[in-house]
């Protein structure tokens, strides 16, 4: 199943710099692993914001929840999920 996801990151301004750096490094490793596995085929930064839009490809809602809740930054994110379906006008279905 494909999902369009917007993630807005809201780290506390007073977060310890070492904690922040560790979180960001773990987030990078986690998301890159999911990309290599093919579960996260599209990842785009939203210009000028600490946010991204992504398309993920997972088996079901439960796998999606596990993927998102496993993100090291999950506790600091506002996440909006939109399930996707094939458009009838798409030529290479």
């Amino acid at each position: 199943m494909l999902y369009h996801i917007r993630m807005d990151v809201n780290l506390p301004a007073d977060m310890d710099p070492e904690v922040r750096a560790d979180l960001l490094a773990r987030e990078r490793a986690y998301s890159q692993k999911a990309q290599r596995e093919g579960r996260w085929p599209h990842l785009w930064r939203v210009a000028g914001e600490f946010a991204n839009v992504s398309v993920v490809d997972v088996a079901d809602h439960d796998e999606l929840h596990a993927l998102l809740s496993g993100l090291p930054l999950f506790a600091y994110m506002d996440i909006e999920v939109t399930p996707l379906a094939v458009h009838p006008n798409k030529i290479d279905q």
Side-chain angles (χ1 to χ4, degrees):
M1 295 181 73
L2 296 176
Y3 297 88
H4 172 273
I5 303 167
R6 177 176 171 122
M7 297 179 227
D8 292 275
V9 182
N10 306 296
L11 293 177
D14 62 348
M15 179 177 272
D16 180 278
E18 289 181 18
V19 171
R20 183 181 195 278
D22 177 65
L23 271 172
L24 294 176
R26 290 188 294 122
E27 183 80 8
R28 176 186 302 259
Y30 184 90
S31 67
Q32 288 180 348
K33 180 178 185 282
Q35 289 172 69
R36 284 189 293 276
E37 294 168 347
R39 298 188 305 151
W40 203 319
H42 297 279
L43 174 58
W44 298 94
R45 173 176 287 166
V46 177
E49 299 181 35
F50 196 176
N52 75 74
V53 292
S54 298
V55 174
V56 299
D57 187 0
V58 292
D60 53 33
H61 302 320
D62 293 326
E63 185 179 350
L64 174 67
H65 181 75
L67 177 67
L68 296 177
S69 63
L71 289 164
L73 291 175
F74 181 75
Y76 303 99
M77 291 181 168
D78 294 321
I79 301 174
E80 182 180 314
V81 175
T82 305
L84 300 174
V86 174
H87 195 284
N89 294 343
K90 187 172 185 313
I91 61 172
D92 61 343
Q93 294 185 39

